[in-house]
Amino acid sequence: LDWGRDTFIVARGLLSSGRKEDVAGIVRTFARLERKGTLPNTLNGHDNSNRETSDAPLWFSLVVEELGEEYLNDGINGGRSLSEVLISIGTGYRDGAENGVKMDEKSGLVWSPSHYTWMDTNYPAGSPREGYPIEIQALWVKLLNHLDRIDSGKGWGEISDKAIDSIEQLYAGNINGWMTDHLQAEEGRSAFDAARDDALRPNALIAIALDVVKGSIAQKTVLAAKEHLMVPGAIRTLAPLPVELPLE
């Protein structure tokens, strides 16, 4: 059993140690399985039907970007290049992927079904995060900016600008001082009409590490994480603080 998102997160570590060809092999393997904006959440032998993930294709896209431009035109089985796979992922997210992930036209942000992020606990559902999780938006912006470079003139940059504006407007300015973790919303509801989840979780640190969230709000979020999330040798997934929005 192989997990999509976990594979790509680890692949970034392999890249940092110089193992580019190993990562290229991993990328080509998963690229063959891309379908209309989706990648497998899990690979269970030959079964890749589980595509219930909103982050695996975005982590994959980030790894391809960090792998380097010299790999973008690599052909994979099926005749497509890696750049074509990235365009397919971006198009799927923008127009609506078969697994339910879809961009909100009004905000430029990506709506994620319940349990589609790494915090995908099932019963009892501790953090379903249906709506607009912050790390998904950061990864989406990274893909949009990359697509604007390799598929220029197709409107990706304009979507990125809209998404960044929405992040600054909707996730910053939390009354507690840190970045909002996610905007809770059912399918079809715009991010502008979503309910703010004021729970402090570590996901905004991903957006900061990816340089999508910057400035004083980033500093406040890091300091809040240091105070409320850090424990010896690890980091909590939820701060032991009161919240306004009920945890489901």
Side-chain angles (χ1 to χ4, degrees):
L1 180 66
D2 296 302
W3 290 87
R5 75 169 66 87
D6 297 2
T7 297
F8 306 131
I9 291 171
V10 171
R12 298 184 73 215
L14 294 177
L15 279 178
S16 72
S17 66
R19 296 171 61 178
K20 295 187 73 170
E21 290 306 316
D22 289 334
V23 173
I26 292 170
V27 162
R28 293 186 190 110
T29 296
F30 274 88
R32 290 194 291 268
L33 302 174
E34 190 275 336
R35 186 178 69 226
K36 297 180 180 179
T38 68
L39 281 174
N41 183 39
T42 61
L43 289 177
N44 193 353
H46 293 290
D47 183 4
N48 61 70
S49 60
N50 180 350
R51 292 172 181 259
E52 296 179 352
T53 171
S54 56
D55 47 5
L58 298 177
W59 282 115
F60 166 89
S61 301
L62 183 62
V63 170
V64 173
E65 178 183 0
E66 294 178 343
L67 187 59
E69 292 187 6
E70 65 269 27
Y71 290 88
L72 282 177
N73 293 321
D74 279 10
I76 56 175
N77 289 358
R80 296 190 300 171
S81 65
L82 288 179
S83 61
E84 289 173 319
V85 173
L86 294 186
I87 293 169
S88 179
I89 291 172
T91 302
Y93 274 60
R94 181 193 64 194
D95 300 339
E98 62 182 38
N99 62 0
V101 174
K102 185 177 182 180
M103 184 188 79
D104 168 35
E105 290 278 354
K106 187 176 180 181
S107 66
L109 302 178
V110 169
W111 181 84
S112 174
S114 179
H115 305 301
Y116 270 40
T117 74
W118 75 274
M119 305 187 85
D120 59 351
T121 55
N122 288 316
Y123 183 83
S127 50
R129 300 176 83 220
E130 179 185 38
Y132 302 88
I134 182 58
E135 77 278 14
I136 298 300
Q137 315 316 320
L139 289 164
W140 172 234
V141 166
K142 294 290 288 187
L143 173 58
L144 288 169
N145 291 341
H146 193 201
L147 289 176
D148 191 45
R149 296 191 294 273
I150 67 175
D151 190 35
S152 60
K154 301 297 178 60
W156 302 113
E158 288 81 355
I159 298 173
S160 175
D161 291 341
K162 181 189 289 186
I164 291 172
D165 287 344
S166 296
I167 290 172
E168 292 176 352
Q169 181 177 347
L170 299 176
Y171 293 85
N174 186 301
I175 59 173
N176 295 306
W178 54 72
M179 288 289 293
T180 294
D181 177 70
H182 108 285
L183 306 174
Q184 183 173 293
E186 66 275 9
E187 184 176 4
R189 189 175 184 182
S190 172
F192 285 103
D193 300 321
R196 282 194 181 195
D197 181 353
D198 59 344
L200 178 61
R201 298 189 179 98
N203 302 296
L205 298 178
I206 297 174
I208 295 168
L210 293 176
D211 205 31
V212 173
V213 173
K214 310 173 186 180
S216 62
I217 186 64
Q219 183 182 46
K220 291 176 182 177
T221 301
V222 170
L223 291 175
K226 179 183 178 183
E227 181 176 357
H228 300 293
L229 294 177
M230 290 297 297
V231 295
I235 190 168
R236 300 177 190 267
T237 57
L238 176 65
L241 299 170
V243 294
E244 292 294 326
L245 192 68
L247 297 175
E248 297 180 8

